[in-house]
Amino acid sequence: MTYTLLGSSISPYVRKVKLVLLEKKIEHATEDVIPFNPPKDWRAISPLGKIPAFRHDDKIINDSTIICEYLERLHPSPALQPSDPYLQARARWIEEYVDGGLIPVTGPKVFFELVVKPLLGQKSDEATARKVIDEDLPAYFDYFESELESEVGSGFAGEFFVGDQFGIADIAVGNLFVNLRLCGVRLDATRWKRLAAFVDRMHARPSFTAVIEPLKAAVGKRWA
Ligand SMILES: N[C@@H](CCC(=O)N[C@@H](CS)C(=O)NCC(=O)O)C(=O)O
């Protein structure tokens, strides 16, 4: 049985799958694919042309969330998806809030401007990125802070986004902040106390350090 993750670790969606593979200690290979310069016949593997795609022997699975759910079914331990239906829905929502909500905001106007453009030898539009960071992101950070706070209100420690167990929601949020830190965004710990501590805890996990260190070396000029 062989697994191959196709994509580039600069993509938060690809990295989410990588983190799941690392947390579950699943052996796998990786194949570098850049969607803007894809290999021949890439659309036969990824019908929307997006990364990641995942190969399990001769089967292909698309979309980071679907790949993570697939891996959970095949490798249920350690569990990264709650078994309780409500908690599972909540974890899935936090994941979607990041993947479908925040990444589309930060990806093109912040990460692409500040990290990808310099890689392509292009000049960053610092003003546009700054405006999104200063004006748009705080409301999202407030939401995360209030969600961690609400876990405390529900009798949990507020260490994780769903109950008292590390899982996919924590991977999704922690992973988003890898890209933001690469853009030089550091949380103000006086305003987002729980969130800032959460990010520090996540980024100290061995799975996160394994993905962060090579990225810092490659594109970490602004790391904060
Ligand atoms: N919902 C997809 C989103 C994947 C996605 O948008 N990936 C970006 C890279 S970060 C991509 O491949 N963009 C190229 C394109 O849209 O053509 C997932 O979770 O895998």
Side-chain angles (χ1 to χ4, degrees), residues 72-73 76 78-92 162-163 165-168:
E72 186 75 13
R73 293 263 179 123
L80 296 177
Q81 311 253 0
S83 52
D84 173 85
Y86 171 68
L87 296 183
Q88 208 265 335
R90 194 176 143 69
R92 187 64 193 76
V162 180
Q165 202 184 326
F166 171 80
I168 192 70

Side-chain angles (χ1 to χ4, degrees), residues 11-13 16 35-36 43 48-52 63-65 99:
S11 155
Y13 301 107
K16 184 176 62 165
F36 310 110
R43 292 252 167 184
L48 293 175
K50 292 180 190 284
I51 53 171
D63 191 278
S64 64
T65 299
D99 287 359

Side-chain angles (χ1 to χ4, degrees), residues 102 105-106 109-111 113-114 125-141 179-187 191-192 222:
L102 248 161
V105 173
T106 58
K109 289 190 180 154
V110 181
F111 191 74
E113 281 302 331
L114 300 181
D125 179 351
E126 303 266 347
T128 297
R130 194 73 256 158
K131 195 164 165 359
V132 174
I133 293 168
D134 292 343
E135 294 176 18
D136 298 341
L137 296 192
Y140 290 95
F141 298 164
N179 274 39
L180 289 178
R181 291 182 75 184
L182 286 170
C183 295
V185 177
R186 187 81 179 138
L187 282 167
R191 174 163 175 188
W192 297 290
R222 295 176 188 260

